[in-house]
Amino acid sequence: MAWSYGYFTDLNYTHGYYPEMNPAMLRLACLCNAVEPQLPDAPSYLELGFGQGVTINMLAAASSGTYWGTDFNPAQTVEARKLADASRADIHLYDDSFEEFANRRDLPDFDVIALHGIWSWISENNRKIITDIIRRKLRPGGVAYISYNCLPGWAPVVPIRQLMSLYQDYGGGKMSRPIEMIEGAVQFAEEIAKAGSYYFRDNPFARHHLEHMGKQGRNYLGHEYMNAVWHLEHFSDMARSLDEAKLTYVGSARLLDGIDAFQLNEEGTRFVSQIGHPIMRETVRDFLVNRRFRTDIFAKGARPLPGREHRDAWCALAFVLVVPEIDVPKKIMCARGEVALPADKYDLILEALADDGYRPKRVEELLKHDKLRKLKPQDIVDLLTVLTGAGFAAPAQGPSETVSEQCRALNRHILQRALVSMDLHHMVSPVTGGGIGLNHMTQLFVLATTAGKEGAEALANYVWDFLDSTGERLVRDGNKIEAKDENLKEIRILARKFVKFGRPLLQALQIIDAPEGGGWSNEAKR
Ligand SMILES: C[S@@+](CC[C@H](N)C(=O)[O-])C[C@H]1O[C@@H](n2cnc3c(N)ncnc32)[C@H](O)[C@@H]1O
């Protein structure tokens, strides 16, 4: 058997970063579910199947602790090690299979064992090996993060996946290059639909899904559908198998998934509120939202937090915005559709968080904030939970000098890479302990800033000179803008916005050096 055990290795995986895997977010998710976050300040953290290693490297650079990871794809391990070499963080990356890794004698016990996008694409034997690693190597008090494709949401797509897999084995797949093979498999399914298939006629969701697949990245499609294994799990089965490893379900790492008001309609909320058993309750919620993907947190030795301790733990947390307040929309998309973020409350908390150059603020400070006097303490906690769950805010830490230096070094590497590639969409913040999404243009503005450019005009000229030297042009409404003036006009608009909103925020997040006196106040750092 090849080293890949039928895992699709012809195309490397995308360079994703997953904020919910940040130890600070795992602690917060425990708190949101009234479970004591027992992770130490400097956890020992294991990621199984790190892919390109973006998440584990960003966490290792930006959060304290020791980070371990394995991914049996050697090309990806090489890539991941480049980021580790850049940050010089405390990180150990291997190209062991899960089985080889489980047999290592040099492993510590872990406070976190995390796997994202792994469980549904590996064999039953490998799933058992992972459960065994969690059972043996997760320290009491530790948490496991596991994301996976689940039922009932994926059920109508099972036949499409089977078609894709058969095309790979018996269709035009064998002779083609990987991208062509995936292209061919999607086209083959589309031809079946056009040939009057009653399956596609009678399953509108499957038809819609196939249309969507036509627009998705080919690397993603390869990893999603072309593996030898595609295992769809019921939440109750996952909970049962981890129960054998002494783990209890805590909640979703994606905070909005846990809030009924963002997931269910009124009837659904009423129905779910009558269900006492946590596993049954979660199963019913999966049916109500037709869930396809879960990001579960389980804890070994979960301790419920009594009311007083729960309140104190919240008060001790600090938060920071991770997008400028003007970029926070008035509505967000969730499982139940568009949900409004009412301005009478959200504008107040956004203003408070943006105050004082976006300085991170403790909840206890926010509770006394002038602008938030109208809000009840629980409102403030709820608003922070929603803003964080939606990716607009994050828990903040007072970073050590080591963490700050690791982030500076990794960010320098990311900026150099932005000159030759657009594959990394994040930079690291020592304040949030993880990655912050920044598109290529913003990375170029950061680069210009670090090169000493200040005003919008200087930034725009710097970026244009770079784009011109590489022959790149901006794109408007899907069309390349050719004229220099037109390109510069667009870049100036973006540069002005960056100077006014983006740069102060990135200074507060310590991605750009802050002017003297910026960043954490001494009071907040305590
Ligand atoms: C879908 S990718 C997800 C990567 C990463 N966690 C992410 O979300 O970006 C799955 C990864 O698991 C790795 N993998 C699959 N089976 C494995 C095994 N038996 N041992 C080690 N790594 C494995 C693959 O090489 C691949 O990089």
Side-chain angles (χ1 to χ4, degrees), residues 382-446:
D382 291 346
L383 296 173
L384 289 169
T385 306
V386 171
L387 289 176
T388 306
F392 306 134
Q397 60 182 11
S400 67
E401 196 33 57
T402 309
V403 160
S404 296
E405 189 39 55
Q406 289 169 178
C407 288
R408 272 195 287 276
L410 184 53
N411 283 336
R412 272 197 301 273
H413 174 86
I414 293 170
L415 290 178
Q416 285 311 305
R417 195 152 150 167
L419 295 174
V420 289
S421 137
M422 293 195 227
D423 58 1
L424 293 180
H425 311 287
H426 295 79
M427 292 182 73
V428 267
S429 163
V431 175
T432 65
I436 301 290
L438 294 180
N439 61 29
H440 191 234
M441 180 62 77
T442 310
Q443 291 186 19
L444 294 177
F445 287 142
V446 175

Coordinates of all heavy atoms in Angstrom, one line a residue, residues 382-446:
D382 N -23.3 39.0 25.4 CA -23.9 38.4 24.2 C -23.3 39.1 22.9 O -23.0 38.5 21.9 CB -25.4 38.6 24.2 CG -26.0 37.7 25.3 OD1 -25.3 36.8 25.8 OD2 -27.2 37.9 25.6
L383 N -23.2 40.4 23.0 CA -22.7 41.2 21.8 C -21.3 40.8 21.5 O -20.9 40.6 20.3 CB -22.8 42.7 22.1 CG -24.2 43.3 22.2 CD1 -24.1 44.7 22.6 CD2 -25.0 43.1 21.0
L384 N -20.4 40.6 22.5 CA -19.1 40.2 22.3 C -19.0 38.8 21.7 O -18.2 38.5 20.8 CB -18.3 40.3 23.6 CG -18.0 41.7 24.1 CD1 -17.4 41.6 25.6 CD2 -17.0 42.4 23.2
T385 N -19.9 38.0 22.2 CA -19.9 36.6 21.7 C -20.3 36.6 20.2 O -19.6 35.9 19.4 CB -21.0 35.7 22.5 OG1 -20.7 35.8 23.9 CG2 -20.9 34.3 22.1
V386 N -21.3 37.4 19.8 CA -21.7 37.4 18.4 C -20.6 38.0 17.5 O -20.3 37.5 16.5 CB -23.0 38.2 18.3 CG1 -23.4 38.4 16.8 CG2 -24.1 37.4 19.0
L387 N -20.0 39.1 18.0 CA -19.0 39.8 17.2 C -17.8 38.9 17.0 O -17.2 38.8 15.9 CB -18.5 41.1 17.8 CG -19.6 42.3 17.8 CD1 -19.0 43.5 18.5 CD2 -19.9 42.6 16.3
T388 N -17.5 38.1 18.0 CA -16.3 37.2 17.9 C -16.7 36.0 17.1 O -15.9 35.6 16.2 CB -15.9 36.7 19.4 OG1 -15.6 37.9 20.1 CG2 -14.7 35.9 19.3
G389 N -17.9 35.5 17.3 CA -18.3 34.3 16.5 C -18.4 34.6 15.0 O -18.1 33.8 14.1
A390 N -18.8 35.9 14.7 CA -18.9 36.3 13.3 C -17.5 36.7 12.7 O -17.5 37.1 11.5 CB -19.9 37.5 13.2
G391 N -16.5 36.7 13.5 CA -15.1 37.0 13.0 C -14.8 38.5 13.0 O -13.9 38.9 12.3
F392 N -15.5 39.4 13.8 CA -15.3 40.8 13.8 C -14.4 41.2 15.0 O -13.9 42.3 15.0 CB -16.5 41.6 13.7 CG -17.5 41.2 12.6 CD1 -18.8 41.0 12.8 CD2 -16.9 41.1 11.3 CE1 -19.6 40.7 11.7 CE2 -17.8 40.7 10.2 CZ -19.1 40.5 10.5
A393 N -14.4 40.4 16.0 CA -13.6 40.7 17.2 C -13.0 39.4 17.6 O -13.2 38.3 17.1 CB -14.6 41.2 18.3
A394 N -12.0 39.5 18.6 CA -11.3 38.3 19.1 C -10.9 38.5 20.5 O -10.7 39.7 20.9 CB -10.1 38.0 18.2
P395 N -10.7 37.4 21.3 CA -10.2 37.6 22.6 C -8.7 38.1 22.5 O -8.1 37.8 21.5 CB -10.1 36.2 23.2 CG -11.0 35.3 22.3 CD -11.0 36.0 21.0
A396 N -8.3 39.0 23.4 CA -7.0 39.6 23.3 C -6.1 39.2 24.5 O -6.6 38.9 25.6 CB -7.1 41.1 23.3
Q397 N -4.8 39.1 24.2 CA -3.8 38.8 25.3 C -2.8 39.9 25.4 O -2.6 40.6 24.4 CB -3.2 37.4 25.0 CG -2.4 37.5 23.6 CD -1.8 36.1 23.2 OE1 -2.0 35.1 23.8 NE2 -0.9 36.2 22.2
G398 N -2.1 40.0 26.5 CA -1.0 40.9 26.6 C 0.2 40.0 26.2 O 0.7 39.2 26.9
P399 N 0.8 40.3 25.0 CA 1.8 39.3 24.5 C 3.2 39.5 25.2 O 3.5 40.6 25.6 CB 1.9 39.7 23.0 CG 1.4 41.1 22.9 CD 0.5 41.3 24.0
S400 N 3.9 38.4 25.3 CA 5.3 38.4 25.8 C 6.2 38.9 24.7 O 5.8 38.9 23.5 CB 5.7 37.0 26.2 OG 5.8 36.2 25.0
E401 N 7.4 39.3 25.1 CA 8.3 39.8 24.1 C 8.7 38.7 23.1 O 8.8 39.0 21.9 CB 9.6 40.4 24.8 CG 10.5 41.2 23.9 CD 9.8 42.1 22.9 OE1 8.9 42.9 23.2 OE2 10.1 41.9 21.7
T402 N 8.8 37.5 23.6 CA 9.1 36.3 22.7 C 8.0 36.2 21.6 O 8.3 36.1 20.4 CB 9.2 35.0 23.5 OG1 10.0 35.2 24.5 CG2 9.6 33.9 22.6
V403 N 6.8 36.2 22.0 CA 5.6 36.1 21.1 C 5.7 37.2 20.1 O 5.5 37.0 18.9 CB 4.3 36.0 21.9 CG1 3.1 36.3 20.9 CG2 4.1 34.6 22.5
S404 N 5.9 38.5 20.6 CA 5.9 39.6 19.7 C 7.0 39.4 18.6 O 6.8 39.7 17.4 CB 6.1 40.9 20.4 OG 5.1 41.1 21.3
E405 N 8.2 39.0 19.1 CA 9.3 38.8 18.1 C 9.0 37.7 17.1 O 9.3 37.9 15.9 CB 10.6 38.5 18.9 CG 11.9 38.5 18.1 CD 11.9 39.6 17.0 OE1 11.7 40.8 17.3 OE2 12.1 39.3 15.8
Q406 N 8.4 36.6 17.6 CA 8.0 35.5 16.6 C 7.1 36.0 15.6 O 7.2 35.7 14.4 CB 7.4 34.3 17.4 CG 8.4 33.6 18.2 CD 7.8 32.6 19.2 OE1 8.5 31.9 19.9 NE2 6.5 32.5 19.3
C407 N 6.1 36.8 16.0 CA 5.1 37.4 15.0 C 5.8 38.3 14.1 O 5.5 38.3 12.9 CB 4.0 38.1 15.8 SG 2.9 37.0 16.7
R408 N 6.7 39.2 14.6 CA 7.4 40.1 13.6 C 8.1 39.3 12.6 O 8.0 39.6 11.4 CB 8.4 41.0 14.4 CG 7.7 42.3 15.0 CD 8.8 43.3 15.4 NE 9.4 42.9 16.6 CZ 9.0 43.2 17.9 NH1 7.9 43.8 18.0 NH2 9.6 42.8 18.9
A409 N 8.8 38.3 13.0 CA 9.6 37.5 12.1 C 8.7 36.8 11.0 O 9.0 36.8 9.8 CB 10.4 36.5 12.8
L410 N 7.6 36.2 11.5 CA 6.7 35.5 10.6 C 6.1 36.5 9.6 O 5.9 36.2 8.4 CB 5.7 34.7 11.3 CG 4.7 33.8 10.5 CD1 5.5 32.9 9.5 CD2 3.8 33.0 11.4
N411 N 5.7 37.6 10.1 CA 5.0 38.6 9.3 C 6.0 39.2 8.2 O 5.6 39.4 7.1 CB 4.5 39.8 10.1 CG 3.2 39.4 10.8 OD1 2.5 38.5 10.3 ND2 2.8 40.1 11.9
R412 N 7.3 39.3 8.6 CA 8.3 39.7 7.6 C 8.3 38.7 6.5 O 8.3 39.0 5.3 CB 9.7 39.8 8.2 CG 10.0 41.2 8.9 CD 11.5 41.3 9.1 NE 12.1 40.3 10.0 CZ 12.1 40.4 11.4 NH1 11.6 41.5 11.9 NH2 12.6 39.5 12.1
H413 N 8.3 37.4 6.8 CA 8.3 36.3 5.8 C 7.1 36.4 4.9 O 7.2 36.3 3.7 CB 8.4 35.0 6.6 CG 8.3 33.8 5.7 ND1 9.4 33.3 5.0 CD2 7.2 33.1 5.3 CE1 9.0 32.2 4.3 NE2 7.7 32.1 4.4
I414 N 5.9 36.6 5.6 CA 4.7 36.7 4.8 C 4.7 37.8 3.8 O 4.3 37.7 2.7 CB 3.5 36.8 5.8 CG1 3.3 35.5 6.6 CG2 2.1 37.0 5.0 CD1 2.4 35.6 7.8
L415 N 5.2 39.0 4.3 CA 5.3 40.1 3.4 C 6.2 39.9 2.2 O 5.9 40.3 1.1 CB 5.7 41.4 4.1 CG 4.6 41.9 5.1 CD1 5.2 43.1 5.9 CD2 3.3 42.2 4.4
Q416 N 7.3 39.2 2.4 CA 8.3 38.9 1.3 C 7.6 38.0 0.4 O 7.7 38.1 -0.9 CB 9.6 38.3 1.9 CG 10.5 39.3 2.5 CD 10.7 40.5 1.7 OE1 11.1 40.4 0.5 NE2 10.4 41.7 2.2
R417 N 6.8 37.0 0.9 CA 6.1 36.1 0.1 C 5.0 36.7 -0.8 O 4.7 36.3 -1.9 CB 5.5 35.0 1.0 CG 5.1 33.8 0.3 CD 5.2 32.6 1.3 NE 4.2 31.6 1.0 CZ 4.2 30.4 1.5 NH1 5.1 30.1 2.4 NH2 3.3 29.6 1.3
A418 N 4.4 37.8 -0.2 CA 3.4 38.5 -0.9 C 3.9 39.2 -2.2 O 3.2 39.5 -3.1 CB 2.8 39.6 0.0
L419 N 5.3 39.3 -2.3 CA 5.8 39.9 -3.5 C 5.9 38.9 -4.7 O 6.0 39.2 -5.8 CB 7.3 40.4 -3.2 CG 7.4 41.5 -2.3 CD1 8.8 41.8 -1.9 CD2 6.7 42.8 -2.8
V420 N 5.8 37.6 -4.3 CA 5.9 36.5 -5.4 C 4.7 35.6 -5.4 O 4.5 34.8 -6.3 CB 7.2 35.7 -5.2 CG1 8.4 36.5 -5.5 CG2 7.2 35.1 -3.8
S421 N 3.8 35.7 -4.4 CA 2.7 34.8 -4.4 C 1.5 35.4 -3.6 O 1.7 36.3 -2.8 CB 3.2 33.5 -3.8 OG 2.2 33.0 -2.9
M422 N 0.3 34.9 -3.9 CA -0.9 35.4 -3.2 C -1.5 34.3 -2.4 O -2.7 34.2 -2.2 CB -1.9 35.9 -4.2 CG -1.4 37.1 -4.9 SD -2.8 37.9 -5.7 CE -2.2 38.2 -7.3
D423 N -0.7 33.3 -1.9 CA -1.3 32.1 -1.3 C -1.6 32.3 0.2 O -2.5 31.6 0.7 CB -0.5 30.8 -1.5 CG 1.0 31.0 -1.0 OD1 1.3 32.0 -0.5 OD2 1.7 30.0 -1.2
L424 N -1.0 33.3 0.8 CA -1.3 33.4 2.3 C -2.2 34.6 2.4 O -1.9 35.7 2.0 CB 0.0 33.7 3.1 CG 1.0 32.4 3.1 CD1 2.2 32.8 3.9 CD2 0.3 31.2 3.7
H425 N -3.3 34.4 3.1 CA -4.3 35.4 3.2 C -4.4 36.0 4.6 O -5.4 36.6 5.0 CB -5.7 34.9 2.8 CG -5.7 34.2 1.5 ND1 -5.5 34.8 0.3 CD2 -5.7 32.8 1.2 CE1 -5.5 34.0 -0.7 NE2 -5.5 32.8 -0.2
H426 N -3.4 35.7 5.4 CA -3.4 36.1 6.8 C -2.1 36.6 7.3 O -1.1 36.2 6.7 CB -3.9 35.0 7.8 CG -5.3 34.5 7.6 ND1 -5.6 33.7 6.5 CD2 -6.4 34.8 8.2 CE1 -6.9 33.5 6.6 NE2 -7.4 34.1 7.6
M427 N -2.0 37.5 8.3 CA -0.8 37.8 9.0 C -1.1 37.5 10.4 O -2.2 37.2 10.8 CB -0.4 39.3 8.7 CG 0.0 39.5 7.3 SD 0.5 41.2 7.0 CE 2.1 41.3 7.8
V428 N 0.0 37.5 11.3 CA -0.2 37.1 12.7 C -0.2 38.3 13.6 O 0.6 39.2 13.5 CB 0.9 36.1 13.2 CG1 0.4 34.7 13.0 CG2 2.2 36.4 12.6
S429 N -1.1 38.2 14.6 CA -1.1 39.2 15.6 C -0.8 38.6 17.0 O -1.4 37.7 17.5 CB -2.6 39.8 15.7 OG -2.7 40.5 16.9
P430 N 0.2 39.2 17.7 CA 0.6 38.8 19.0 C -0.5 39.1 20.0 O -0.6 38.6 21.1 CB 1.9 39.5 19.3 CG 1.9 40.7 18.4 CD 1.1 40.3 17.2
V431 N -1.4 40.0 19.6 CA -2.5 40.5 20.5 C -3.7 39.4 20.5 O -4.3 39.2 21.5 CB -3.0 41.9 20.1 CG1 -4.2 42.3 20.9 CG2 -1.9 42.9 20.2
T432 N -4.0 38.9 19.3 CA -5.1 37.9 19.3 C -4.5 36.4 19.5 O -5.3 35.5 19.6 CB -5.9 37.9 18.0 OG1 -5.0 37.6 16.9 CG2 -6.5 39.3 17.8
G433 N -3.2 36.3 19.4 CA -2.6 35.0 19.4 C -2.9 34.1 18.2 O -2.8 32.9 18.2
G434 N -3.1 34.8 17.1 CA -3.4 34.0 15.9 C -3.4 34.8 14.6 O -2.9 36.0 14.6
G435 N -4.0 34.3 13.5 CA -4.0 35.0 12.2 C -5.1 36.0 12.1 O -6.1 35.9 12.8
I436 N -4.8 37.0 11.3 CA -5.8 38.0 11.0 C -5.9 38.1 9.4 O -4.9 38.2 8.8 CB -5.4 39.4 11.4 CG1 -5.1 39.5 12.9 CG2 -6.4 40.5 11.0 CD1 -6.4 39.4 13.8
G437 N -7.2 37.9 8.9 CA -7.3 37.9 7.5 C -7.0 39.2 6.8 O -7.5 40.2 7.2
L438 N -6.0 39.2 5.9 CA -5.6 40.4 5.2 C -5.4 40.1 3.7 O -4.6 39.2 3.4 CB -4.3 41.0 5.8 CG -4.3 41.5 7.2 CD1 -3.0 42.1 7.6 CD2 -5.4 42.6 7.4
N439 N -6.2 40.7 2.8 CA -6.0 40.4 1.4 C -4.7 40.9 0.9 O -4.0 41.6 1.5 CB -7.2 40.9 0.6 CG -7.4 42.4 0.7 OD1 -6.4 43.1 0.9 ND2 -8.6 42.9 0.6
H440 N -4.4 40.5 -0.4 CA -3.1 40.8 -0.9 C -2.8 42.3 -1.0 O -1.7 42.8 -0.7 CB -3.0 40.2 -2.3 CG -1.6 40.2 -2.9 ND1 -1.3 40.7 -4.1 CD2 -0.4 39.7 -2.4 CE1 0.0 40.6 -4.3 NE2 0.5 40.0 -3.3
M441 N -3.8 43.1 -1.4 CA -3.7 44.6 -1.5 C -3.3 45.1 -0.1 O -2.4 45.9 0.0 CB -5.0 45.2 -2.0 CG -4.9 46.7 -2.1 SD -3.7 47.3 -3.3 CE -4.5 46.9 -4.9
T442 N -4.0 44.7 1.0 CA -3.7 45.2 2.3 C -2.3 44.8 2.7 O -1.5 45.5 3.3 CB -4.7 44.7 3.3 OG1 -6.0 45.0 2.8 CG2 -4.6 45.4 4.7
Q443 N -1.9 43.5 2.4 CA -0.5 43.1 2.7 C 0.5 44.0 2.0 O 1.5 44.4 2.6 CB -0.3 41.7 2.2 CG -1.1 40.7 3.1 CD -0.7 39.2 2.7 OE1 0.3 38.9 2.2 NE2 -1.7 38.3 3.1
L444 N 0.2 44.5 0.8 CA 1.1 45.4 0.1 C 1.1 46.7 0.8 O 2.2 47.4 0.8 CB 0.7 45.5 -1.4 CG 0.8 44.2 -2.2 CD1 0.3 44.5 -3.7 CD2 2.3 43.7 -2.3
F445 N 0.0 47.2 1.3 CA 0.0 48.5 2.0 C 0.8 48.3 3.3 O 1.5 49.3 3.7 CB -1.4 48.9 2.4 CG -2.3 49.4 1.2 CD1 -3.6 49.1 1.1 CD2 -1.7 50.2 0.2 CE1 -4.4 49.6 0.1 CE2 -2.4 50.7 -0.8 CZ -3.8 50.4 -0.9
V446 N 0.7 47.2 3.9 CA 1.5 46.9 5.1 C 3.0 47.0 4.8 O 3.8 47.6 5.4 CB 1.2 45.6 5.8 CG1 2.1 45.3 7.0 CG2 -0.3 45.6 6.3

